[in-house]
Amino acid sequence: MLLVAALVVAVVTVPLAGGRLSALADLTIRRAWALGIALGLQVAVVYVWPEGSPGPLAAVHVASYVAAGWFVIANSHIPGWWLVGLGGLMNFAAIAANAGVMPASRGAVAAAGLSDMPGRFANSAVVTEPRLAWLGDIFAVPAGWPLANVFSVGDVCLAAGAAVALHAVCRSRLSATGAGEFTGLLAHRQFVAVWGADAGSGLAQWAYVLAIAPVLVGRAGAAHALAALMVVQAGSG
């Protein structure tokens, strides 16, 4: 849901930023069938056969990410697509490490107003002893808000990557479209030094967010605290 909402916002903002949505018609999409397989497998385990045997359903869930990864790799030529790949890799790591289920924190699930459905496969659920818990669904859109649900750091990367790619392809003012101009700037040592320092600072700030996430997971009000931290970090970046 987070990705869908991000895409809607990105589509709406492209024309406002001077971009042309018609440019999408010129974009070459490779191995679209792999994405179709991934989405089909997701729908199958969550909506069609959720009451099946947990083991096979978990394996199918993991397989859906493998198919999606194939699609992402095949389209690495799209600007900003690496961020989509990073988000998908984060989610895949968490799911693969927890027997095919995305681990969700109890605080995030409670904040989003979600409840367990015994006997049904859930692609995201509270796990007794989660591995890579900080990559799981530790954030929440609170109950009562539109699209109330839990989401992960990987989901944030996926949404951001999709928005960056859309604006870049449509050549809006929010994207860097002048590769030649940027190449020229790299010839200036002062620019490279300042840009490198700024990039390092930004990386350190996000590393701090990722480092503090596992400390907050499981504590009272963790979901709201983590969501607030991500919003503040995004705003200050």
Side-chain angles (χ1 to χ4, degrees):
M1 288 298 183
L2 176 67
L3 181 58
V4 174
L7 283 175
V8 170
V9 172
V11 169
V12 171
T13 55
V14 162
L16 297 177
R20 296 184 304 105
L21 291 173
S22 59
L24 293 173
D26 300 325
L27 180 64
T28 300
I29 301 294
R30 301 168 182 167
R31 294 178 185 164
W33 54 266
L35 179 61
I37 290 176
L39 294 176
L41 292 178
Q42 288 270 341
V43 171
V45 299
V46 176
Y47 300 107
V48 181
W49 299 296
E51 285 118 6
S53 178
L57 290 179
V60 172
H61 188 212
V62 172
S64 72
Y65 273 83
V66 174
W70 196 357
F71 170 77
V72 171
I73 293 173
N75 292 280
S76 58
H77 61 284
I78 299 175
W81 204 240
W82 66 271
L83 192 54
V84 173
L86 177 61
L89 185 59
M90 286 180 172
N91 285 348
F92 176 76
I95 291 170
N98 291 275
V101 175
M102 172 65 84
S105 73
R106 293 186 184 278
V109 170
L114 304 179
S115 58
D116 293 333
M117 301 181 69
R120 293 174 63 91
F121 177 80
N123 57 352
S124 175
V126 176
V127 178
T128 303
E129 296 181 358
R131 298 181 178 87
L132 300 179
W134 64 281
L135 288 179
D137 287 333
I138 55 179
F139 306 110
V141 177
W145 289 29
L147 304 178
N149 208 333
V150 293
F151 59 98
S152 65
V153 175
D155 291 334
V156 174
C157 287
L158 283 168
V164 168
L166 184 61
H167 275 273
V169 171
C170 296
R171 303 180 69 83
S172 80
R173 290 190 296 271
L174 298 182
S175 65
T177 57
E181 296 174 8
F182 185 76
T183 302
L185 287 173
L186 291 178
H188 298 275
R189 292 183 179 180
Q190 294 87 348
F191 168 79
V192 173
V194 173
W195 180 79
D198 182 68
S201 174
L203 181 61
Q205 290 179 17
W206 281 106
Y208 166 75
V209 173
L210 296 180
I212 201 173
V215 177
L216 294 178
V217 171
R219 298 191 177 187
H224 289 90
L226 287 168
L229 180 62
M230 290 291 291
V231 170
V232 171
Q233 175 57 35
S236 63

